[in-house]
Amino acid sequence: MTAQILLPRTRQAVRRRALMISIAGKGGVGKTTLTALMLKVLLESTRKLILVVDADPVSNLPSVLGVKEYTTVGDVIEELREKMERGEVSSIPPEVFDMYVQDTIVECDNFDLLVMGRTEGKGCYCYVNAVLRGIIQTLESNYDIILIDCEAGLEHIQRRVDENVDILLIVTDSSRMGIEACRKIVELSEKLGLNIGRKYVVGNKVTNVDALRRALSDIGVDLCGIIPYDPLVEEYNLAGKSLLEIPDDSPALQAVREICRRIGLI
Ligand SMILES: Nc1ncnc2c1ncn2[C@@H]1O[C@H](COP(=O)(O)OP(=O)(O)OP(=O)(O)O)[C@@H](O)[C@H]1O
Ligand SMILES: [Mg+2]
């Protein structure tokens, strides 16, 4: 897929508040894979306006979606910081910052992509994680669905990026660390009183579902589905092919379609 930076759909008519879906979990459990496969299912099943946000500073999602050219919000923050350091501007009004951010939105064939990236230093506005929440609030009226591939761990919960999220999907494999990360995400979101509509756990690359269910039983969050290990996902990853092109008989894709059905997305 070739992606061009064009006038984003966000510049078009104002719409109602988007359904916000965040995908969280320990590092390496399959958050980006789930995000990409959910996007594929949603694109096949609905004609809704979708914004996908790569909120992980490592920015893996563009390549998993076959998007090669993009600018990150981190790049924009750096650019504005340099402008201030050179004395070209004395301050950056919020509306100017929003305009710069909107210019980074990549308009792909039938969805938009916003890549947060990372910043090198301090000084201009604030760190990427802290500004993400504001960016989402600005953009939520322009889309039907916003899908956020979160950074591994708890930082996005701590920074209240997930405030007002309708569906929080917490991915885990069958490791103790993956399950503990689920527990911490749930506990911290409750402790901070985040307004989250529904929370589910998704098991990825899990073979013993009963053991996972038992391990999750005291967390108080439903397991909404299991994605099996899928050699096609591995093959596409190694070959650098977009998961949006994965064939219909992919077991992982079929499992994600079932998860989308269960949580009422399709
Ligand atoms: N169901 C699956 N079958 C086969 N391989 C998978 C599956 N899910 C994920 N993988 C592979 O596991 C690796 C990690 O997956 P992914 O990048 O989606 O995890 P992540 O949680 O986003 O990681 P990070 O925390 O680094 O962002 C990737 O190489 C991906 O292709
Ligand atoms: Mg990832």
Side-chain angles (χ1 to χ4, degrees):
M1 182 195 313
T2 51
Q4 289 175 297
I5 299 180
L6 299 169
L7 186 67
R9 279 178 267 259
T10 53
R11 296 274 168 85
Q12 296 167 15
V14 170
R15 301 170 65 86
R16 65 193 156 72
R17 183 184 176 270
L19 180 84
M20 306 264 297
I21 306 168
S22 257
I23 297 172
K26 186 186 89 67
V29 288
K31 299 177 293 298
T32 301
T33 303
L34 175 60
T35 306
L37 294 176
M38 275 184 83
L39 175 65
K40 181 171 169 66
V41 169
L42 290 170
L43 292 174
E44 284 168 359
S45 326
T46 71
R47 296 183 60 80
K48 297 198 165 158
L49 283 180
I50 304 175
L51 173 70
V52 192
V53 180
D54 185 345
D56 182 348
V58 182
S59 311
N60 282 330
L61 187 61
S63 89
V64 171
L65 297 177
V67 176
K68 292 190 173 59
E69 285 174 34
Y70 59 89
T71 305
T72 72
V73 174
D75 295 335
V76 161
I77 292 173
E78 287 300 315
E79 188 189 328
L80 293 173
R81 189 169 62 92
E82 281 164 21
K83 270 184 197 284
M84 283 174 69
E85 277 172 5
R86 287 196 300 266
E88 291 169 29
V89 290
S90 56
S91 66
I92 313 287
E95 59 278 11
V96 172
F97 181 70
D98 286 352
M99 234 179 53
Y100 272 87
V101 168
Q102 295 214 358
D103 279 340
T104 69
I105 294 177
V106 186
E107 189 166 288
C108 304
D109 286 345
N110 36 17
F111 66 94
D112 285 356
L113 173 67
L114 176 67
V115 185
M116 296 306 298
R118 64 167 89 239
T119 52
E120 297 305 323
K122 298 181 182 185
C124 166
Y125 214 75
C126 48
Y127 290 107
V128 173
N129 252 326
V131 297
L132 176 55
R133 190 173 152 217
I135 290 169
I136 291 169
Q137 277 168 0
T138 308
L139 294 176
E140 67 184 1
S141 58
N142 300 99
Y143 293 92
D144 298 311
I145 299 177
I146 299 182
L147 204 53
I148 308 167
D149 178 16
C150 292
E151 181 182 6
L154 297 170
E155 175 78 4
H156 55 99
I157 300 279
Q158 195 81 49
R159 294 279 181 185
R160 308 184 82 93
V161 170
D162 305 274
E163 182 78 276
N164 298 327
V165 155
D166 298 286
I167 302 175
L168 175 65
L169 295 175
I170 312 166
V171 187
T172 184
D173 51 20
S174 44
S175 71
R176 172 55 43 199
M177 296 75 86
I179 293 158
E180 280 312 305
C182 287
R183 184 190 312 282
K184 285 181 187 155
I185 287 170
V186 170
E187 283 175 0
L188 187 61
S189 65
E190 284 169 5
K191 187 173 159 212
L192 295 177
L194 295 192
N195 176 27
I196 296 175
R198 293 182 274 156
K199 299 185 195 91
Y200 299 102
V201 172
V202 174
N204 187 28
K205 297 187 273 186
V206 171
T207 44
N208 190 338
V209 182
D210 287 338
L212 179 66
R213 256 185 226 288
R214 277 197 300 279
L216 291 169
S217 61
D218 62 336
I219 298 183
V221 175
D222 287 340
L223 179 66
C224 78
I226 298 286
I227 307 168
Y229 170 80
D230 183 343
L232 275 171
V233 170
E234 187 177 37
E235 183 192 317
Y236 271 56
N237 182 279
L238 275 174
K241 289 203 287 197
S242 166
L243 279 186
L244 297 177
E245 313 288 331
I246 205 165
D248 209 52
D249 60 359
S250 146
L253 176 63
Q254 289 173 2
V256 171
R257 193 174 287 126
E258 184 52 34
I259 289 168
C260 289
R261 265 193 214 107
R262 269 191 214 148
I263 59 178
L265 292 179
I266 56 170

